[in-house]
Amino acid sequence: MRLRVEFTTEPFDLDEAPAHAVVAREVVEAAELDAVDVGPFGNTAEGGADAVLAAVDALLRRSLHAGATRISLQVNVVDERVAEDGDR
């Protein structure tokens, strides 16, 4: 099964990335994921279920420890058949 996670960490700081945002980025970039997109207002990562769930666990623990006061996330199952059909 493939999963996609979308997440944000708060509080926001538009002038400089807060420590919790930097940690969240490091977690998903170091994880064994197939796709990572990090942006100022939202982040996405995609991969196998085990890798995504492990990354979410680390993301929550490390971001909270680094000062996040809120982490919003959404996890979706990615239908591999749809991706394969779209590649044709």
Side-chain angles (χ1 to χ4, degrees), residues 3-8 43 45 52 56 71-76:
L3 299 176
R4 178 183 301 122
V5 61
E6 301 173 43
F7 67 92
T8 58
N43 310 283
V52 170
V56 167
I71 302 169
S72 302
L73 65 91
Q74 178 174 305
V75 177
N76 293 302

Side-chain angles (χ1 to χ4, degrees), residues 5-9 20-29 31 43 45 52-66 68 71-75:
V5 61
E6 301 173 43
F7 67 92
T8 58
T9 62
H20 59 80
V22 172
V23 165
R25 180 177 59 231
E26 291 172 352
V27 167
V28 295
E29 288 177 342
N43 310 283
V52 170
L53 294 174
V56 167
D57 178 61
L59 169 77
L60 292 171
R61 293 176 188 276
R62 292 187 54 204
S63 296
L64 290 168
H65 184 73
I71 302 169
S72 302
L73 65 91
Q74 178 174 305
V75 177

